[in-house]
Amino acid sequence: MVDFSKISEHFRRLHKKMEKRSPVTYVQTHSGSRLNLPKNTLNPLGIVNDVLNKVCSGNLSRKSLKRKISEYEEMQCTSSSSPFVFNYKKPRMTCYGRSLPITRLLEHLDSSSLCDIIQTLVNRHPTLLLEVASLSSRPDLSSVISTLNGMEEQVRRSFPYGGDSMGEYAYNRIRPVLQALMDALLEYTRIFLPPYESNKSLTLTFLDHITSMAHRFPEWNNPEHNYIKEELYHEISSAWISVILSIGKEGWGGINGYEWMKKLIKHNEAGRGRLESVIDVARSELACFFPEKIEDGIFSSPNNKLGFDFASCYQI
């Protein structure tokens, strides 16, 4: 039998507890504020009346009664302990400025600026020299000639308009760019000489080009200012002799020595005899391989005229 007196007493105690509470129930939200809800939202008295009616009518068993009471207590505990999240929104993220990644910075640099940065890094950290050299590809003949032609054009644009183009003012104005061109010529020459460069035809083609550039170096009124050109001819002559001797040891197979001898004679005429030492070495080496050409006078006459006009070589 169900003891209705105990059940009634239990619900009376619950009712008294509810009476002592405030008319409203406070529910704490996620942000720490309180949300006021009417007390009858939880409807505890409705649950009590429903339970009593079912008990009196005999429609509620002992197990159902315990379940109802436990559900009510669980609801009470949940409403008081668990926070009620109301209309929660994800906070906006704040954006801050920052510098570009290195890849984006390099995209906006031209070749000159990039070279300056690499050169500065190598100067500050000499240990990077070998690593930068290993990562850099070797320049080919066309790219080197293009670079040298661009530097020569810069020398030509540096000449002043009007006045004496071979005087002191013109010399002082273009001396820095002229010296830079000479340094570039000598440094690039090193990579086309044996044993670093094994292709002899490529080496001869490069020497032919830079010798023509040397002819176009200006002749200043003051002989002392011509030291740059004289030094350049000396270095180029040494390069020619080194290559000719190297070819003489390995043989002239695939190289038309007769045609190259004629080119050297033209260069010597344009250089006003500054390549005479090259002609002597070439005549000695080529005479051993082409004795039949001695009768033509190509290898024996240093004053052979080949009808080549070099007047334009001195126009800057």
Side-chain angles (χ1 to χ4, degrees):
M1 295 295 292
V2 179
D3 191 351
F4 293 102
S5 61
K6 292 183 178 181
I7 295 174
S8 300
E9 182 64 25
H10 177 73
F11 281 107
R12 287 192 189 95
R13 288 196 297 268
L14 290 177
H15 181 69
K16 289 181 180 180
K17 289 181 180 180
M18 297 300 298
E19 289 295 332
K20 293 180 181 180
R21 293 189 177 185
S22 174
V24 294
T25 300
Y26 297 101
V27 180
Q28 189 174 9
T29 63
H30 179 75
S31 61
S33 61
R34 288 185 173 183
L35 179 66
N36 297 336
L37 297 176
K39 183 178 178 180
N40 57 6
T41 302
L42 300 177
N43 199 13
L45 296 180
I47 296 175
V48 173
N49 293 332
D50 181 61
V51 172
L52 289 176
N53 291 334
K54 289 184 178 181
V55 170
C56 294
S57 62
N59 295 328
L60 186 65
S61 62
R62 184 182 298 273
K63 291 183 179 180
S64 299
L65 179 61
K66 290 182 178 180
R67 185 171 63 252
K68 288 288 183 178
I69 295 174
S70 63
E71 288 176 357
Y72 172 74
E73 292 177 347
E74 182 180 354
M75 183 178 62
Q76 290 290 94
C77 294
T78 303
S79 62
S80 60
S81 61
S82 300
F84 178 75
V85 180
F86 182 77
N87 196 21
Y88 172 70
K89 291 184 179 180
K90 186 177 181 180
R92 293 183 179 179
M93 297 183 63
T94 304
C95 296
Y96 298 97
R98 64 176 183 179
S99 61
L100 282 172
I102 186 64
T103 54
R104 297 301 180 193
L105 289 175
L106 296 178
E107 288 177 351
H108 297 275
L109 295 177
D110 55 18
S111 58
S112 178
S113 300
L114 191 58
C115 288
D116 292 340
I117 291 176
I118 295 176
Q119 186 63 50
T120 302
L121 289 175
V122 172
N123 292 338
R124 293 179 180 178
H125 309 281
T127 55
L128 295 176
L129 179 60
L130 294 178
E131 186 172 358
V132 172
S134 63
L135 294 175
S136 303
S137 59
R138 179 182 175 181
D140 56 11
L141 179 62
S142 60
S143 64
V144 171
I145 290 178
S146 177
T147 300
L148 294 176
N149 289 342
M151 298 181 70
E152 186 181 25
E153 179 63 25
Q154 186 178 3
V155 172
R156 186 177 291 107
R157 291 196 304 265
S158 299
F159 270 87
Y161 294 100
D164 188 0
S165 60
M166 297 295 127
E168 292 293 326
Y169 175 74
Y171 168 75
N172 292 327
R173 180 168 177 172
I174 75 165
R175 180 177 58 180
V177 290
L178 191 64
Q179 183 66 52
L181 175 58
M182 176 186 169
D183 294 340
L185 285 170
L186 297 181
E187 289 174 356
Y188 279 120
T189 300
R190 301 292 188 270
I191 68 173
F192 289 101
L193 295 180
Y196 192 78
E197 177 57 64
S198 58
N199 189 335
K200 301 300 188 297
S201 296
L202 191 67
T203 300
L204 292 173
T205 302
F206 176 77
L207 291 178
D208 179 43
H209 183 81
I210 65 171
T211 305
S212 298
M213 294 184 70
H215 300 328
R216 296 192 290 269
F217 268 51
E219 294 272 358
W220 304 105
N221 296 335
N222 187 347
E224 295 181 357
H225 297 336
N226 293 324
Y227 72 94
I228 294 179
K229 189 170 185 176
E230 297 297 333
E231 184 180 355
L232 180 60
Y233 270 118
H234 176 74
E235 294 293 336
I236 291 177
S237 297
S238 299
W240 275 109
I241 293 173
S242 175
V243 172
I244 292 172
L245 293 177
S246 177
I247 296 176
K249 293 179 181 179
E250 300 177 5
W252 290 80
I255 299 177
N256 191 335
Y258 179 69
E259 293 297 328
W260 279 108
M261 186 65 191
K262 291 194 295 184
K263 288 184 178 182
L264 286 174
I265 292 175
K266 292 179 182 180
H267 283 312
N268 188 45
E269 291 178 354
R272 299 180 182 181
R274 293 185 177 96
L275 298 177
E276 192 66 38
S277 59
V278 180
I279 298 297
D280 293 339
V281 173
R283 185 184 300 115
S284 174
E285 291 293 325
L286 290 173
C288 299
F289 292 93
F290 306 98
E292 68 278 3
K293 297 295 182 180
I294 297 179
E295 298 178 358
D296 296 341
I298 295 295
F299 298 152
S300 59
S301 176
N303 297 321
N304 185 281
K305 302 297 181 182
L306 298 174
F308 189 82
D309 183 14
F310 282 91
S312 60
C313 292
Y314 300 99
Q315 301 298 323
I316 302 298

